[in-house]
Amino acid sequence: MWKKQLTVLTVGDPRLRLMAEPVVTLDRPLQTLIKNLIWTAEKTNGVGIAAPQVGVAKQLFIVASRPTLRYPHAPTMAPTPMINPHIVAHSDDRTADWEGCLSVPDQRGQVARWREIEVEYGDRHGQMKRQVFTDFVARIFQHELDHLQGTVFTDRVADPTTLLTEQAYFDQLDSMPAIVTDHSDSLA
Ligand code: NI
């Protein structure tokens, strides 16, 4: 089967700011899109990618956590397509940690995310899945879910002084402060 690396849109492109529509049919073009999104994430060292990032305003993303050049400490899982995904429940605590995005080249910043989430999504065969994700995988899910609502991680950086270039990020990786956990449950 042919696989195609798709062009990833970068910030400034208005298509990244659209609300994605629910997927209603699991047709052949959608299966091709899934295959190409997985391939594109692999080729770009991404641990996740959402359909709006390639100009398709549909509620679909791939979570593909694995150690990469960009995320050397990521846990490994099979690339998982998630269709019409949503969060069912979440922990009270949020964790601030570093994020980057294929659509925001050369930037890293700290974003607070729910530490643990229970999610629902459809798989590529239309089967509904309910799963609990924690830490880095929960972070990927929340980051990708944002893309379906026209939001990118820099919108959620609470402290803009944490924004770094990738080079500065890698230079400082060893001397960075430990992850900050926020136990406040008043944030939504
Ligand atoms: Ni992203």
Side-chain angles (χ1 to χ4, degrees), residues 151-163:
T151 298
V152 295
F153 84 93
T154 44
D155 302 348
R156 292 198 184 270
V157 169
D159 176 0
T161 67
T162 66
L163 282 169

Side-chain angles (χ1 to χ4, degrees), residues 52-65:
Q53 291 183 271
V54 297
V56 179
K58 292 209 170 136
Q59 293 178 17
L60 159 68
F61 57 68
I62 312 295
V63 176
S65 177

Side-chain angles (χ1 to χ4, degrees), residues 7-187:
T7 302
V8 178
L9 308 179
T10 50
V11 279
D13 192 305
R15 289 172 287 178
L16 286 171
R17 297 306 190 170
L18 298 174
M19 292 293 291
E21 299 288 332
V23 172
V24 289
T25 47
L26 302 173
D27 53 12
R28 203 181 162 107
L30 191 87
Q31 303 297 342
T32 302
L33 176 64
I34 288 170
K35 185 182 63 180
N36 290 336
L37 281 170
I38 290 172
W39 183 243
T40 302
E42 194 175 317
K43 297 300 277 182
T44 53
N45 291 317
V47 292
I49 189 168
Q53 291 183 271
V54 297
V56 179
K58 292 209 170 136
Q59 293 178 17
L60 159 68
F61 57 68
I62 312 295
V63 176
S65 177
R66 67 201 152 85
T68 68
L69 290 173
R70 297 174 75 238
Y71 296 96
H73 306 296
T76 300
M77 64 186 275
T80 306
M82 299 184 181
I83 296 166
N84 301 336
H86 59 274
I87 294 173
V88 178
H90 60 74
S91 58
D92 287 339
D93 56 322
R94 304 200 305 172
T95 305
D97 203 353
W98 297 95
E99 292 188 18
C101 180
L102 298 170
S103 294
V104 188
D106 199 35
Q107 288 212 356
R108 295 292 178 104
Q110 283 206 350
V111 182
R113 302 284 189 187
W114 304 119
R115 192 185 56 76
E116 186 169 82
I117 53 176
E118 184 173 7
V119 306
E120 256 183 10
Y121 61 91
D123 72 8
R124 68 174 104 196
H125 308 297
Q127 195 78 40
M128 286 305 292
K129 303 277 186 186
R130 189 182 271 242
Q131 278 183 288
V132 173
F133 295 131
T134 55
D135 301 321
F136 190 69
V137 180
R139 176 170 299 278
I140 298 170
F141 187 99
Q142 290 169 82
H143 176 115
E144 302 308 332
L145 193 65
D146 273 353
H147 278 302
L148 305 187
Q149 290 155 3
T151 298
V152 295
F153 84 93
T154 44
D155 302 348
R156 292 198 184 270
V157 169
D159 176 0
T161 67
T162 66
L163 282 169
L164 293 176
T165 63
E166 295 229 317
Q167 187 58 54
Y169 173 79
F170 285 117
D171 287 349
Q172 294 178 30
L173 205 52
D174 293 335
S175 58
M176 276 180 181
I179 289 167
V180 181
T181 299
D182 175 0
H183 288 283
S184 162
D185 60 359
S186 62
L187 303 158

